[in-house]
Amino acid sequence: MDWESFYDTHPSPSTHEPTICEVENFVCSHENEKIVFVTSGGTTVPIEHNTVRFVDNFSVGTRGSASAEYFLQCGYCVIFLYRSNSLEPFVRHFNNSLLDKFEIVDNKSIQMKQSEFDTLYPVLKKFKDAKEANRLLSISFTTLIEYMWLVRGCCMLLDTKYCMLYFAAAVSDFYIPPSEMKEHKHQSNDGPPLIALRLVPKVLPAVTHIWSPNAYIISFKLETDAEILLEKCKSALAKYKHQLVIGNLLSTRKHNVKLVSRDGIEDITLSTADSETGLEIEYLIVTNLEAKHDAYIKSKQ
Amino acid sequence: MDWESFYDTHPSPSTHEPTICEVENFVCSHENEKIVFVTSGGTTVPIEHNTVRFVDNFSVGTRGSASAEYFLQCGYCVIFLYRSNSLEPFVRHFNNSLLDKFEIVDNKSIQMKQSEFDTLYPVLKKFKDAKEANRLLSISFTTLIEYMWLVRGCCMLLDTKYCMLYFAAAVSDFYIPPSEMKEHKHQSNDGPPLIALRLVPKVLPAVTHIWSPNAYIISFKLETDAEILLEKCKSALAKYKHQLVIGNLLSTRKHNVKLVSRDGIEDITLSTADSETGLEIEYLIVTNLEAKHDAYIKSKQ
């Protein structure tokens, strides 16, 4: 199935239009500024109509949420499309043992403990500044079909050289068409279900050729087998003809990625020493991409 | 496959022993107090060894996390076994728009906004009190196999009439044995994968007859089809011979449940009016169960 028939057979969810309006307002208020569209987290593929079970992709959304923070730091406006319940920029620093970070003072106020303040103050400050300046728009989705519609809607609004599309979400390659889903929960005394999945059509050809041919477009390849990673990156680049593929292995993704472009392969490695200072590889990725995007904008003048 | 061969063929994860030690310490420090063991959230079934994809169960953990709060309120000590990333007691009230709830005061402290304080102060207070008195032990898991081992370990430590076992987690009925998992990510150009799932053995027979025959045991049935719900509850009760099955439908689970015991069927309904005051059905469930458990303890004297 190609992407056109996918959209023909799966109508947009009812929440779609109002969300795209929000995106449109955001884009309009940042004309000629650099905007990055970051997708993040996994996608959920329901197995039954009344969903009790689903097939999911491994992704807590670290890559996307960390990158969004650094893009803001580099002066980008950020549209952050994330799977609900996956990590969000800035918020992610508060998640662990959240309530232990706070204390009740004199039974009349709730304050962050002083021991946490030095680390979390700059995080909260950046978040508040970004929100106040209307430079961060977060949009959540759950299912694959919601994701597919939001990507289409957003990409069509982001077709200029000032826009970067950064597809960090782990999108399911497979899904079950609603027409073939069972109505009710599969009963265990019917024996285990045999789940026949369909291929999700690739939308990258539509993004690069139809929806946002003028944007700077980055896709990701996540593999578990080092042998095939680079080849898969190169073949994606050859097939979709966009600007960059970022290749990473599940086991080493937090300290090594490969940037594959028509100019060759660049290796980005976060050293153990740097990692111990709290530096994240996403900072290295984003600052590298910023330079590439600036050159791209210049080349189009 | 029965539960014995499941444990024989799937060795315990390396994190298992230290966690069970923690539970043991907790249980020892609350001898002759009422303890409830609450399981919550879904379970993850990996599809590949280097997990990129998995089959998951729908459950954000509202039932379990809300119930844990009300059990504490009723004087229980709570062991909360939850799927990581699902809702946690008390913490769940802070999750939405977390960073918007706080403000920076004079660039030198982070405080909860006054508008949020009245709602969240009692929540945080209850959390702090429970932690300080060591009455809440939270343990997280991710995969089905971790869950299976933790349930076994905990139940064996909770075999007295003062213990209530409250199995609210949505445990997968199906799994893929590690021996049959693919080593690497399924490639989309191999076509869609056909996933053959195995039945997960029921552990309730082991719980009721071997691990914790003296505890007060409650299991849940979640269905999407109202026609079969009560029959499934009754048949579970007949098969496992425990004290109570709580039946609920996916679509109405937040305002109606059915308590099915040997004494008959009780309907618990949360009225719209009550719901609007912020009352949750878990409060009604827990206070009902407390009375049943007290009667059970008395009957065993």
Side-chain angles (χ1 to χ4, degrees), chain B residues 215-233:
Chain B
Y216 189 85
I217 301 169
I218 299 147
S219 70
F220 283 78
K221 271 279 166 216
L222 176 67
E223 294 292 337
T224 59
D225 184 354
E227 299 284 308
I228 61 171
L229 178 64
L230 275 181
E231 197 192 312
K232 298 223 71 156
C233 291

Side-chain angles (χ1 to χ4, degrees), chain B residues 200-273:
Chain B
V200 172
K202 302 284 182 202
V203 292
L204 213 45
V207 176
T208 56
H209 293 110
I210 301 170
W211 302 334
S212 348
N214 295 300
Y216 189 85
I217 301 169
I218 299 147
S219 70
F220 283 78
K221 271 279 166 216
L222 176 67
E223 294 292 337
T224 59
D225 184 354
E227 299 284 308
I228 61 171
L229 178 64
L230 275 181
E231 197 192 312
K232 298 223 71 156
C233 291
K234 286 182 198 160
S235 103
L237 200 67
K239 208 189 299 179
Y240 306 121
K241 308 199 190 320
H242 54 309
Q243 282 68 35
L244 198 77
V245 180
I246 300 186
N248 53 159
L249 289 172
L250 190 63
S251 53
T252 60
R253 69 195 188 284
K254 291 193 193 271
H255 51 93
N256 182 261
V257 300
K258 291 170 199 318
L259 307 193
V260 181
S261 72
R262 265 177 295 275
D263 301 331
I265 298 164
E266 248 175 290
D267 214 86
I268 294 187
T269 301
L270 181 70
S271 68
T272 313

Side-chain angles (χ1 to χ4, degrees), chain A residues 249-266:
Chain A
L249 289 172
L250 190 63
S251 53
T252 60
R253 68 195 188 286
K254 291 191 193 270
H255 51 93
N256 182 261
V257 301
K258 290 168 201 319
L259 307 194
V260 182
S261 71
R262 264 177 295 276
D263 301 331
I265 298 163
E266 248 176 291

Side-chain angles (χ1 to χ4, degrees), chain B residues 14-61:
Chain B
S14 60
T15 51
H16 183 67
E17 280 306 320
T19 308
I20 291 300
C21 274
E22 261 188 274
V23 176
E24 195 167 5
N25 289 337
F26 186 85
V27 172
C28 287
S29 62
H30 294 294
E31 227 177 325
N32 295 332
E33 286 187 82
K34 288 195 287 182
I35 301 182
V36 64
F37 175 59
V38 176
T39 72
S40 187
T43 56
T44 294
V45 175
I47 296 178
E48 301 122 338
H49 272 291
N50 291 294
T51 298
V52 174
R53 301 199 185 84
F54 50 82
V55 178
D56 212 310
N57 274 41
F58 162 88
S59 178
V60 293

Side-chain angles (χ1 to χ4, degrees), chain A residues 120-189:
Chain A
L120 293 178
Y121 167 73
V123 176
L124 187 61
K125 183 83 173 72
K126 283 178 205 163
F127 172 80
K128 298 274 181 198
D129 290 349
K131 294 303 276 186
E132 209 175 315
N134 188 32
R135 300 185 73 81
L136 170 62
L137 177 65
S138 296
I139 301 165
S140 71
F141 66 89
T142 303
T143 68
L144 174 80
I145 292 177
E146 289 173 295
Y147 169 84
M148 293 285 277
W149 276 96
L150 288 168
V151 162
R152 178 170 128 144
C154 291
C155 285
M156 288 166 77
L157 293 167
L158 296 168
D159 183 28
T160 81
K161 64 182 175 184
Y162 298 108
C163 298
M164 188 193 285
L165 311 180
Y166 184 83
F167 291 104
V171 182
S172 177
D173 293 327
F174 310 104
Y175 79 112
I176 301 169
S179 56
E180 291 177 22
M181 271 182 216
K182 295 183 65 164
E183 190 64 27
H184 287 297
K185 186 182 167 191
H186 183 95
Q187 293 299 322
S188 59
N189 44 16

Side-chain angles (χ1 to χ4, degrees), chain A residues 47 50-60 85 87-91 94-95 98-104 107-114 117 120-121 123-125 127-128 131 171-174 183-189 191-199 202 221-226 228 232 250, chain B residues 47 50-60 85 87-91 94-95 98-104 107-114 117 120-121 123-125 127-128 131 171-174 183-189 191-199 202 221-226 228 232 250:
Chain A
I47 296 179
N50 291 294
T51 297
V52 172
R53 301 195 185 88
F54 50 83
V55 177
D56 212 312
N57 274 40
F58 162 88
S59 178
V60 292
N85 258 330
L87 297 179
E88 291 174 71
F90 307 112
V91 185
F94 290 76
N95 291 343
L98 174 68
L99 298 194
D100 293 330
K101 298 191 197 315
F102 293 98
E103 61 192 355
I104 298 169
N107 288 339
K108 65 177 205 291
S109 80
I110 294 176
Q111 281 191 19
M112 178 162 292
K113 289 181 182 165
Q114 206 54 43
F117 180 79
L120 293 178
Y121 167 73
V123 176
L124 187 61
K125 183 83 173 72
F127 172 80
K128 298 274 181 198
K131 294 303 276 186
V171 182
S172 177
D173 293 327
F174 310 104
E183 190 64 27
H184 287 297
K185 186 182 167 191
H186 183 95
Q187 293 299 322
S188 59
N189 44 16
L194 202 62
I195 305 171
L197 300 169
R198 286 262 194 97
L199 276 175
K202 302 284 181 200
K221 271 278 166 217
L222 175 67
E223 294 292 336
T224 59
D225 185 353
I228 61 170
K232 298 223 70 154
L250 190 63
Chain B
I47 296 178
N50 291 294
T51 298
V52 174
R53 301 199 185 84
F54 50 82
V55 178
D56 212 310
N57 274 41
F58 162 88
S59 178
V60 293
N85 257 330
L87 296 178
E88 292 174 69
F90 307 112
V91 184
F94 289 76
N95 291 342
L98 173 68
L99 298 194
D100 294 331
K101 298 190 194 321
F102 294 98
E103 61 194 352
I104 299 170
N107 287 339
K108 63 178 206 290
S109 80
I110 294 175
Q111 281 191 20
M112 179 163 291
K113 288 181 183 164
Q114 206 52 44
F117 181 80
L120 294 177
Y121 167 74
V123 177
L124 186 61
K125 183 83 173 73
F127 172 80
K128 298 275 181 198
K131 294 302 277 187
V171 182
S172 177
D173 292 326
F174 310 104
E183 189 63 26
H184 287 296
K185 186 183 167 189
H186 182 94
Q187 293 299 323
S188 58
N189 42 17
L194 202 62
I195 305 171
L197 300 167
R198 286 262 196 94
L199 275 176
K202 302 284 182 202
K221 271 279 166 216
L222 176 67
E223 294 292 337
T224 59
D225 184 354
I228 61 171
K232 298 223 71 156
L250 190 63

